[in-house]
Amino acid sequence: MSKKIVFFFSLILFTTVMLAQTRPWQGKFEPIDNMITPPNSYRTASGAPGKAYWQQRADYKIKATLDEANNTISGEETITYHNNSPDDLSYIWIQLEQNVNKKGNEDFGAFFNSIKDSINTRQMQLLTRAIDFPAGYTIKYIKDANGNPMTSFVNNTMMKVVLKEPLKSGTSLSFSMAWSYPVTDRSMFFLSREGYEYFPGDDNAVYLIAHWFPRMAVYNDTEGWQNQQFQRLGEFALEFGDYEVEITVPEDHIVASTGSLLNGSAVLSRAQQERLKEAAESFDKPVMIITKEEAESNEKTKSTKQRTWKFSATNVRDFAFASSRKFIWDAQAVKLPTNTIMAMSFYPKEGLPVWKEESTKAIKNALEVYSEATFDYPYPVAISVNTSNIGMEFPMISFNGGRPKNGKISDRAKAGMIGTIIHEVGHNWFPMIVSSDERKWMWMDEGLNTFIHQRTVAERYPQFRSTTPKSIVPFMSGDKNILRPIMTTSDNEILTQFGNNFYMKPTVGLQMLRNSIIGPELFDQAFKEYSNRWKYKHPNPADLFRTLEDATAVDLDWFFRGWFFTTDNVDMELTDVKWFRVNEEELNTKDQKKTVKLKIEGENISEKAKDFSSGPESITMTSTPDTSYGGFLSRMDEPELRKQLSGKNIYVVTIKNLGGLVMPVTIEWIFTDGSKEIETLPAQVWRGNEYEIKRTFIKEKEVSQVNLDPNFEFADTDMRNNSFPKVEVPSEFDAFKSKQQ
């Protein structure tokens, strides 16, 4: 090796070491293999379930009674648990979510609020529980298939049942339980997903009955038993199964439920049955099953008799219902390529007129757009029930807030109501069918669902504002001391941040992948592939990440690493734009080779230019020495190269990465004649230097303005440094910044 070569490599090594001391390499393009669960025979490296994939199953037979006079519900259930795992189980775990309401239990109150000089009474109740109330399960018995008592231990919202003999791999176990609990007043709780809502005007209630029966916890290949306690924020991880459910309620109540109604002739009037038949053939508008006048008449008396409604549901992971004598009920049919669904809405008169006008329409829109984006909705019904404040999802049924005041509703509130219905109906796909663990990875259901929810709004309600990359700017430019990565378990997120981190940020990330990084056609294929691979199964984050790469042939590890695993933000600075123009002047040299000087058309600039007013700078282009070609005998056509560059404008752009996130670079060129051109550099341009890049461009026309991210595709948190020459920040961006501050 020659001394020159040794010196050359020594210089590179020295430069690299010095650069590392000031700007450490962060490996933004390294694989994320060490950050996600490794592939195995259960979950493949492609992101698909493996040949050995397994999951447990739990079938339920439940009989329950709602006692309206005492606001209690009691029930008996038989669970048949199928051990499809390769393991023998010496005990099982059952979820008891109603225990979260017990006094002394872990609660949101102290976490969400603090004493201050002015505090309202509801906040004080959340903090102190000064008005106490009964809550939580009473377990009357738990018996095996032979009627013998089983040993159990309750730990907060989980119950361990010790088996006399291990449950062998490939076998099943049946056991029964009896239980009861007080149904709580929803107004007493923050983030209350169930309970009753009382209406003083007519002395009636709407009962939302959810996470109401003891349910099997998930046992899977990645964590064994899911044993995180229920603390209201992190929701549910559940097994699929078949349900047979009998619900006994006051005779004048109407029940909306998961599943198919089996005894409609016994619980519905002849007129209601005929109207349902009519609705099953009405594809253009809803049919009233119970009218406002009929519901108001029903409110006036309270029956002391009871009636039992019977439902069945196949291959669902949960079961919920709503019951009230206040319900108005409408329904219509929705035709999909492989299925016809009954879309239904149940609402008290307080929801009129907007619920009659919009709820079932919103269900229909959600069913159609989600089915197109993933797979056809597989269940027979999709139900929206009106309640106060919340939106909450269960298989085939959702509880949705949004009500007019005195019959009137603002455009903003109406948009919020419709968005809530779309969102909660959409949860039937994520996580009710593509069944991720909400207790652990809230973003996998909320983020993916919000992504398609926003697509539904954009396509079916273009007059409403939908989430875009601009929406996440205030959050991503916030205080890094309190921000968390998306890859944070549900209950560890700060309450004031979880909406942005688990809903909006994953949504914006998927929008970037679809619209700007992969492209709609290929991304949509990949997203549909993920949805179909994992329907009725339990995917983890690694399965989503791998599938999106596998089905697109796009290396996305850099994106997943930055967007999901860090709190970095996008902030690209257009540091400098240098302008050169090529005009040939032949100069004779000693060896008679050509040298081309790039003619100055303005004064040579010693300081960095602030605009293009000084004209282009000069450089010198010499002929290529023979040694540069190494062993190649052929030579570049240098006269042709000079010809191609003659009279052209050369622009050298310097861009700095101030926020930490690497992203594609979209550049808008505005020319002096008013025309525009946009070109995009892939994120891989940052591979060599994660902090700063320089790129050279040739343009026929002179440029008057250069802008980064002109269409705001990548959530750049500071647009003030995105232009050359500098321009004022758009007023819309200022509004986002002021909101954040």
Side-chain angles (χ1 to χ4, degrees):
M1 185 179 290
S2 70
K3 292 182 179 180
K4 288 184 178 180
I5 295 177
V6 171
F7 173 78
F8 175 72
F9 281 108
S10 298
L11 181 62
I12 291 177
L13 179 61
F14 174 77
T15 304
T16 303
V17 171
M18 292 304 294
L19 183 63
Q21 289 176 351
T22 56
R23 291 181 172 182
W25 176 71
Q26 296 180 329
K28 295 181 186 295
F29 289 91
E30 290 302 298
I32 59 169
D33 295 354
N34 64 335
M35 305 172 76
I36 57 177
T37 52
N40 50 43
S41 60
Y42 307 132
R43 299 167 190 268
T44 69
S46 72
K51 290 183 178 180
Y53 177 82
W54 57 267
Q55 70 186 41
Q56 310 291 66
R57 182 178 181 86
D59 300 321
Y60 297 83
K61 294 182 178 180
I62 306 172
K63 295 182 179 181
T65 300
L66 174 63
D67 182 345
E68 184 180 33
N70 297 302
N71 286 325
T72 61
I73 189 167
S74 58
E76 298 178 351
E77 67 183 90
T78 298
I79 302 175
T80 301
Y81 183 64
H82 305 268
N83 182 15
N84 299 321
S85 79
D87 309 320
D88 297 340
L89 305 176
S90 58
Y91 53 82
I92 58 176
W93 281 99
I94 296 173
Q95 298 182 2
L96 302 176
E97 280 94 349
Q98 285 297 323
N99 283 354
V100 76
N101 295 328
K102 283 187 173 182
K103 188 173 184 179
N105 212 323
E106 297 176 12
D107 199 350
F108 268 108
F111 190 70
F112 190 67
N113 297 287
S114 60
I115 291 289
K116 48 189 175 182
D117 57 359
S118 177
I119 187 169
N120 66 46
T121 54
R122 186 167 182 267
Q123 288 175 321
M124 185 61 80
Q125 170 68 7
L126 288 172
L127 274 170
T128 65
R129 195 164 173 162
I131 300 175
D132 200 10
F133 49 87
Y137 282 109
T138 297
I139 304 296
K140 298 178 181 179
Y141 66 77
I142 177 167
K143 299 177 181 179
D144 64 21
N146 297 318
N148 299 315
M150 302 178 75
T151 302
S152 63
F153 302 90
V154 174
N155 176 18
N156 198 4
T157 61
M158 302 289 291
M159 179 169 69
K160 182 179 183 179
V161 179
V162 180
L163 306 179
K164 290 184 179 179
E165 296 181 359
L167 179 61
K168 298 291 186 180
S169 172
T171 65
S172 60
L173 167 73
S174 290
F175 60 100
S176 59
M177 300 176 64
W179 44 265
S180 64
Y181 70 87
V183 182
T184 52
D185 183 344
R186 287 189 51 243
S187 67
M188 302 289 278
F189 292 106
F190 170 75
L191 278 182
S192 177
R193 292 169 169 82
E194 53 76 37
Y196 66 86
E197 179 183 2
Y198 179 64
F199 293 80
D202 52 65
D203 188 32
N204 279 298
V206 171
Y207 290 87
L208 307 179
I209 307 301
H211 50 90
W212 52 287
F213 58 98
R215 302 177 293 181
M216 290 300 305
V218 166
Y219 182 81
N220 65 24
D221 60 286
T222 55
E223 61 178 327
W225 286 107
Q226 192 291 119
N227 52 22
Q228 289 177 263
Q229 297 286 344
F230 179 47
Q231 297 177 329
R232 286 200 179 90
L233 187 58
E235 294 174 355
F236 314 114
L238 299 165
E239 302 289 10
F240 288 96
D242 296 340
Y243 285 75
E244 298 176 17
V245 181
E246 297 183 10
I247 304 167
T248 300
V249 298
E251 187 179 46
D252 50 2
H253 271 217
I254 296 295
V255 176
S257 174
T258 298
S260 299
L261 178 62
L262 301 179
N263 64 334
S265 60
V267 296
L268 300 177
S269 70
R270 182 167 297 178
Q272 290 164 355
Q273 294 176 59
E274 290 300 318
R275 293 168 184 171
L276 274 174
K277 290 180 182 178
E278 181 185 352
E281 298 179 356
S282 178
F283 293 93
D284 58 344
K285 63 180 180 179
V287 172
M288 298 307 302
I289 313 302
I290 297 176
T291 67
K292 172 179 179 289
E293 292 72 25
E294 290 167 340
E296 287 179 327
S297 175
N298 202 33
E299 286 179 346
K300 294 177 181 178
T301 58
K302 293 185 178 181
S303 176
T304 58
K305 297 180 181 180
Q306 293 183 320
R307 180 174 287 167
T308 299
W309 297 59
K310 298 180 181 180
F311 297 90
S312 69
T314 301
N315 210 20
V316 294
R317 64 172 235 166
D318 200 3
F319 194 102
F321 68 93
S323 182
S324 180
R325 64 177 55 83
K326 290 178 63 65
F327 282 146
I328 302 167
W329 178 9
D330 70 57
Q332 85 171 77
V334 179
K335 181 68 175 176
L336 298 176
T338 61
N339 196 15
T340 298
I341 302 101
M342 288 294 286
M344 300 180 177
S345 296
F346 295 76
Y347 43 94
K349 64 180 183 295
E350 288 78 5
L352 293 172
V354 67
W355 268 74
K356 180 180 178 181
E357 297 166 348
E358 299 291 351
S359 178
T360 301
K361 178 182 175 182
I363 298 172
K364 178 178 182 292
N365 285 329
L367 291 173
E368 291 173 345
V369 176
Y370 275 79
S371 293
E372 181 183 358
T374 57
F375 49 80
D376 281 359
Y377 184 82
Y379 297 131
V381 297
I383 297 172
S384 171
V385 180
N386 179 230
T387 182
S388 59
N389 298 332
I390 65 165
M392 188 60 203
E393 74 279 1
F394 306 93
M396 304 186 223
I397 188 170
S398 56
F399 307 151
N400 302 310
R403 280 195 191 129
K405 293 183 179 179
N406 301 318
K408 296 182 180 180
I409 190 168
S410 68
D411 290 343
R412 182 176 180 181
K414 182 179 178 179
M417 182 202 89
I418 291 171
T420 297
I421 295 169
I422 291 170
H423 183 90
E424 304 308 335
V425 171
H427 270 306
N428 277 283
W429 282 265
F430 309 99
M432 297 300 151
I433 298 174
V434 183
S435 184
S436 56
D437 183 349
E438 298 176 87
R439 190 78 41 98
K440 192 169 186 179
W441 303 117
M442 179 181 284
W443 70 267
M444 285 197 73
D445 67 284
E446 297 296 357
L448 272 61
N449 180 45
T450 304
F451 170 62
I452 305 296
H453 153 209
Q454 292 299 320
R455 176 173 164 180
T456 307
V457 171
E459 291 183 10
R460 299 300 175 93
Y461 302 90
Q463 71 274 27
F464 296 161
R465 184 175 180 176
S466 55
T467 296
T468 68
K470 285 185 178 180
S471 309
I472 202 67
V473 165
F475 171 70
M476 295 194 69
S477 57
D479 184 357
K480 299 292 186 184
N481 292 319
I482 61 173
L483 293 184
R484 303 285 189 273
I486 293 175
M487 291 292 288
T488 300
T489 54
S490 305
D491 291 315
N492 291 336
E493 181 57 84
I494 297 174
L495 279 178
T496 55
Q497 305 289 343
F498 86 95
N500 282 308
N501 212 26
F502 292 149
Y503 292 68
M504 288 179 64
K505 189 178 176 185
T507 294
V508 169
L510 292 171
Q511 288 175 341
M512 289 177 177
L513 290 175
R514 181 178 191 261
N515 300 328
S516 304
I517 296 173
I518 297 174
E521 185 176 9
L522 199 54
F523 176 89
D524 289 350
Q525 292 175 17
F527 194 81
K528 184 171 287 192
E529 181 71 26
Y530 166 76
S531 302
N532 282 275
R533 280 179 173 181
W534 289 97
K535 62 183 178 183
Y536 304 115
K537 296 181 177 68
H538 299 316
N540 289 330
D543 304 312
L544 172 64
F545 296 154
R546 289 187 172 115
T547 296
L548 291 181
E549 289 188 318
D550 180 72
T552 62
V554 179
D555 175 13
L556 297 171
D557 279 20
W558 62 270
F559 182 84
F560 299 140
R561 175 185 290 273
W563 195 260
F564 286 87
F565 288 89
T566 78
T567 60
D568 290 346
N569 59 283
V570 179
D571 182 9
M572 296 186 192
E573 179 184 73
L574 183 52
T575 306
D576 191 22
V577 179
K578 290 187 179 297
W579 175 25
F580 307 94
R581 179 175 291 159
V582 178
N583 286 285
E584 291 194 25
E585 285 186 350
E586 282 197 29
L587 302 176
N588 292 322
T589 62
K590 184 179 293 186
D591 58 2
Q592 301 297 311
K593 289 188 177 179
K594 281 188 176 179
T595 298
V596 177
K597 185 175 182 181
L598 303 188
K599 186 178 179 181
I600 305 172
E601 294 198 358
E603 293 185 4
N604 206 7
I605 304 166
S606 58
E607 297 181 0
K608 186 165 70 173
K610 296 181 179 179
D611 54 36
F612 298 110
S613 61
S614 298
E617 299 184 49
S618 68
I619 56 174
T620 300
M621 183 171 66
T622 63
S623 297
T624 307
D626 288 339
T627 54
S628 295
Y629 285 99
F632 291 105
L633 300 180
S634 61
R635 294 293 183 264
M636 181 187 298
D637 188 347
E638 296 195 6
E640 177 63 22
L641 175 65
R642 296 188 181 100
K643 178 182 176 182
Q644 292 297 327
L645 291 178
S646 181
K648 304 289 178 66
N649 298 287
I650 299 177
Y651 294 93
V652 179
V653 175
T654 302
I655 303 169
K656 289 186 178 180
N657 177 8
L658 302 182
L661 275 185
V662 292
M663 279 290 165
V665 181
T666 302
I667 304 174
E668 178 185 50
W669 303 91
I670 302 177
F671 300 102
T672 54
D673 65 0
S675 61
K676 296 181 180 180
E677 177 187 346
I678 292 180
E679 55 189 309
T680 300
L681 306 177
Q684 284 72 16
V685 297
W686 299 98
R687 283 184 182 275
N689 187 332
E690 300 166 348
Y691 300 92
E692 181 179 290
I693 58 173
K694 291 180 183 290
R695 284 297 182 272
T696 301
F697 303 86
I698 301 174
K699 301 298 175 185
E700 296 279 352
K701 303 175 184 178
E702 291 186 13
V703 171
S704 63
Q705 182 75 44
V706 184
N707 300 313
L708 298 182
D709 199 10
N711 297 320
F712 214 105
E713 298 174 80
F714 299 110
D716 195 307
T717 58
D718 190 353
M719 296 295 286
R720 293 169 298 185
N721 56 17
N722 281 33
S723 299
F724 184 93
K726 299 297 183 186
V727 297
E728 292 186 7
V729 178
S731 59
E732 188 174 8
F733 182 77
D734 284 333
F736 274 97
K737 291 297 289 183
S738 63
K739 183 185 295 185
Q740 180 260 327
Q741 292 169 352

